[in-house]
Amino acid sequence: MATRPDRPGATAWLPDPDHRDVAHLREAATACRGCELWEPATQVVFSAGVVTGRVALVGEQPGDVEDQRGIPFVGPAGRLLQEAVAEAGLAREDVYVTNAVKHFRFSQSAPGNRRIHATPDAGHVTACKPWLAAELVAVDPDVVVVLGATAAKALLGPSFRVTRERGVVLERETSRGTKRFVATIHPSAVLRTPAPEREQARAGLVADLRVAASALGDGAAET
Ligand code: URA
């Protein structure tokens, strides 16, 4: 995807290669003007969780609540995700949480009106990718869980289809060697599923997270 001239991408804001630990990346990202999303957003929402975690969960972008609090996955989708992670047997101390895009994209009909989530486009994902790539190098997780289509596009390529390839361990070459990825649906998709089928959608998410837990190879999923 070509970078638009008004979207220079995050590269120019990355710290020098000797200072690309998560703390430095988080600080540097506050200055990022790699795309236009920084301006209407309240703040950059970088990541949360354990920077030595063996599992990285990668979502789409912060939502309204996350934009206000500056922490990913603290709204309704985040609560569902947290429960699903626990149910799948993943320990909190193993989990790092982040997003493909670090600012909230939304539409708003008038100031003060409700802010409506807008899916980031491929250019936003490309512009933000240097942050995601750098944090995954820094954290160096054993397994990356890709939550939904936007994260899948960022990490597994534009032709990847979550519905076709979810819940299996995929191996991909990265700058840190061969890494394992597991794709699954986004927790917001569970919340959007109408009541009779919602429980099944939730169970599917938990089952896919169990695959990620099993991929750690230490019986984490059996706990
Ligand atoms: N959805 C996401 O993808 N990320 C968040 O942080 C919150 C909701």
Side-chain angles (χ1 to χ4, degrees), residues 164-179:
R164 278 207 306 260
E165 290 185 82
R166 63 181 287 190
V168 292
V169 178
L170 306 160
E171 297 205 330
R172 293 283 192 279
E173 283 313 309
T174 74
S175 63
R176 286 287 217 158
T178 308
K179 287 278 167 203

Side-chain angles (χ1 to χ4, degrees), residues 15-32:
D16 70 70
D18 291 340
H19 295 91
R20 291 197 184 160
D21 55 280
V22 172
H24 278 98
L25 291 167
R26 184 192 311 287
E27 172 60 29
T30 62
C32 187

Side-chain angles (χ1 to χ4, degrees), residues 32-204:
C32 187
R33 303 293 181 261
C35 77
E36 77 288 0
L37 295 182
W38 70 273
E39 201 163 7
T42 308
Q43 58 190 315
V44 69
V45 179
F46 198 78
S47 68
V50 181
V51 298
T52 52
R54 294 185 298 163
V55 180
L57 305 179
V58 183
E60 180 194 76
Q61 64 165 4
D64 185 67
V65 180
E66 289 81 9
D67 170 77
Q68 292 170 55
R69 292 192 45 198
I71 307 168
F73 282 110
V74 288
R79 280 193 291 279
L80 191 145
L81 180 62
Q82 234 178 61
E83 287 168 16
V85 161
E87 217 172 302
L90 286 166
R92 260 179 119 85
E93 57 270 23
D94 265 336
V95 177
Y96 177 79
V97 184
T98 192
N99 283 305
V101 171
K102 312 294 189 208
H103 284 105
F104 179 37
R105 187 183 194 210
F106 60 92
S107 63
Q108 193 174 34
S109 54
N113 283 5
R114 193 161 159 251
R115 303 186 301 173
I116 311 290
H117 166 276
T119 303
D121 67 30
H124 297 122
V125 172
T126 302
C128 219
K129 182 75 189 285
W131 296 118
L132 180 59
E135 66 188 318
L136 290 180
V137 168
V139 175
D140 194 23
D142 293 340
V143 180
V144 179
V145 177
V146 173
L147 299 164
T150 300
K153 283 187 172 56
L155 291 170
L156 299 169
S159 57
F160 188 87
R161 293 289 170 269
V162 173
T163 43
R164 278 207 306 260
E165 290 185 82
R166 63 181 287 190
V168 292
V169 178
L170 306 160
E171 297 205 330
R172 293 283 192 279
E173 283 313 309
T174 74
S175 63
R176 286 287 217 158
T178 308
K179 287 278 167 203
R180 282 167 286 173
F181 293 80
V182 176
T184 186
I185 54 169
H186 193 283
S188 299
V190 177
L191 294 176
R192 283 195 306 270
T193 305
E197 285 88 34
R198 186 175 303 156
E199 194 39 47
Q200 200 185 342
R202 188 183 176 285

